[in-house]
Amino acid sequence: MDVGHGDDPASGPVDFDDLDLEWLRSKPGAKWHRYGREALAAWVADMDFPPPPPVTAALHQLVDGGDLGYPDWFDGSPLRRLFATRMADRFGWPAGAEHVREVGNVVQGVQLALHLATPPGSLIALHTPCYRRFLETASSMHRPILPIAAERTPGGWAFDHDRFEAALGAEPGRCRSLILCNPHNPTGHVFSLDELGWLAELAEAHDLLILSDEIHADLVYPPHRHVPIASLGPAVAARTVTLTSATKAFNLAGIRCGVAHVGSPALRAAWDAEPKHLYGIVSPIGVEATRSAWEECNAWLTAAVAHLDRNRARLGRLLADRLPQVAYRPPDATYLAWLDFRALPLPDAPADIVRQGGVVLSPGQEFGPGGDGCARLNFATSAAVLEAIVDRMA
């Protein structure tokens, strides 16, 4: 696979279609290993591509340097400054580096914020269907969900925020938090400036903590653009925890490294008062991989998004040709397709059916309300593998 290095145009073209199926099947990670060599994996949100070469080179340099000892981070890791710089450069948001804290991943940051700032029994508002780890978090932390249901419209996915507002008013004070997944997983919806403004107003009126998962922010397709909700102004920033990582956009999930921008002074104080090692500490390896991704891999990211854009269109053509009964709207962001099989008379859940044919999708029921009869397909692969996936599904 020929991939370029960093932002150097002389480093050669990027060919994300140059993937060897046997190489994929030999990978020891969960995506291609768990269901056996004969299955075609399109489930968990890992890309099939190798990591960007600058990241690999940076990690080799770190290891070859012979120093894997304690890092000299007196006031936090370099991620704090890197995050602030990236938010300003890409999204025009002057996020304060002093408000950033390291986390092992986005879910850990969500759970820590909920633990410190909301009581058990309080409701968590979620746009549904939703990422299953958030459903598991709500269940294990004894904070039931208040669903904000998605509906398919001619203009794309929409969420019933009128009903959300009514539900908040019906039980004042019971809902204490909103987990905002923007861009949204699994629908790929990118929340518009108007939608974010409305959510910010509701959060202010009902005193909601906003936990904004923005891990897919770098994977938005034109003409859509990502807007960090905390960038809307000081009031919403002060009640928002913005969570992100380089792991999705640069295919680095195993490094277990992310950041949380904690806008609330009270929540930051409570966060900092916790025992420093209780929730784990990010490693120099994870920090160096993130640094390289954010500083050296913009050319790789641009090429990857262009390839994914082609694949989301290709998937639409393949489904129209082989499985026209399956409803699919190309996502505005992410490399995840939300497929609706309900027009087909299937005796079981669609992911169970297609698994019998050798394709592994993420079952829709794992995504909570609105997931029955649906499945999520990961199209971050080569054109040839994607075509083989749809052929087997059909």
Side-chain angles (χ1 to χ4, degrees):
M1 180 176 181
D2 187 8
V3 294
H5 289 262
D7 295 312
D8 179 5
S11 59
V14 179
D15 185 1
F16 292 93
D17 280 324
D18 184 16
L19 281 178
D20 181 72
L21 186 58
E22 287 307 305
W23 174 76
L24 292 173
R25 286 171 164 163
S26 69
K27 294 170 72 172
K31 183 180 180 183
W32 282 90
H33 182 265
R34 180 166 299 175
Y35 294 97
R37 287 184 56 84
E38 298 310 310
L40 293 177
W43 61 295
V44 69
D46 282 347
M47 298 186 193
D48 282 344
F49 321 122
V55 173
T56 304
L59 294 181
H60 277 293
Q61 184 174 352
L62 178 66
V63 172
D64 293 344
D67 185 0
L68 295 179
Y70 293 114
D72 190 14
W73 300 336
F74 181 72
D75 283 325
S77 78
L79 293 183
R80 301 186 182 192
R81 173 188 56 80
L82 290 170
F83 171 84
T85 299
R86 190 168 184 81
M87 292 301 103
D89 290 347
R90 292 185 73 82
F91 307 116
W93 173 34
E98 69 276 11
H99 297 168
V100 178
R101 302 294 181 266
E102 298 82 6
V103 291
N105 58 28
V106 164
V107 175
Q108 183 194 52
V110 166
Q111 292 177 350
L112 180 52
L114 287 170
H115 169 67
L116 294 174
T118 69
S122 62
L123 298 180
I124 301 172
L126 278 171
H127 293 90
T128 57
C130 67
Y131 177 44
R132 70 169 186 158
R133 299 301 180 197
F134 294 150
L135 294 170
E136 293 168 355
T137 290
S139 176
S140 64
M141 296 188 71
H142 310 291
R143 289 159 173 80
I145 70 164
L146 174 61
I148 309 169
E151 56 184 39
R152 195 188 304 271
T153 72
W157 289 99
F159 293 90
D160 194 342
H161 290 130
D162 287 327
R163 182 177 294 181
F164 175 42
E165 184 175 15
L168 290 172
E171 296 185 85
R174 191 174 175 209
C175 185
R176 299 288 296 275
S177 59
L178 164 68
I179 297 180
L180 174 64
C181 187
N182 181 33
H184 185 254
N185 176 8
T187 67
H189 177 70
V190 174
F191 287 84
S192 69
L193 188 58
D194 286 344
E195 287 178 296
L196 294 174
W198 194 353
L199 289 170
E201 289 178 9
L202 290 176
E204 181 72 22
H206 296 274
D207 195 22
L208 304 181
L209 172 69
I210 302 173
L211 304 171
S212 190
D213 167 13
E214 302 185 9
I215 198 170
H216 292 101
D218 285 330
L219 300 171
V220 175
Y221 306 111
H224 303 280
R225 67 185 186 93
H226 175 72
V227 178
I229 192 169
S231 70
L232 297 189
V236 64
R239 63 173 61 256
T240 299
V241 180
T242 302
L243 298 133
T244 194
S245 169
T247 55
K248 282 292 177 283
F250 299 94
N251 200 31
L252 304 169
I255 66 169
R256 315 296 290 178
C257 186
V259 294
H261 181 276
V262 185
S264 163
L267 181 52
R268 279 200 309 276
W271 192 299
D272 293 342
E274 291 289 284
K276 293 189 182 299
H277 293 261
L278 179 61
Y279 305 102
I281 297 175
V282 293
S283 76
I285 292 175
V287 170
E288 178 59 12
T290 304
R291 181 210 62 76
S292 175
W294 284 350
E295 290 191 331
E296 301 173 339
C297 298
N298 286 333
W300 186 95
L301 177 63
T302 298
V305 171
H307 174 81
L308 296 172
D309 195 4
R310 292 190 294 271
N311 263 9
R312 69 176 181 141
R314 179 177 289 114
L315 177 59
R317 294 191 297 270
L318 291 168
L319 290 171
D321 180 57
R322 302 301 310 277
L323 284 168
Q325 304 96 325
V326 175
Y328 162 67
R329 184 188 185 281
D332 303 331
T334 81
Y335 46 81
L336 306 168
W338 188 241
L339 307 181
D340 186 343
F341 293 77
R342 286 176 294 179
L344 288 166
L346 301 179
D348 297 303
D352 294 339
I353 296 293
V354 298
R355 190 173 298 176
Q356 295 174 27
V359 173
V360 186
L361 305 180
S362 296
Q365 60 269 27
E366 292 183 353
F367 296 84
D372 288 343
C374 299
R376 193 189 72 178
L377 183 151
N378 179 342
F379 57 82
T381 189
S382 68
V385 172
L386 184 60
E387 290 174 12
I389 286 169
V390 178
D391 283 345
R392 282 200 189 181
M393 286 170 59

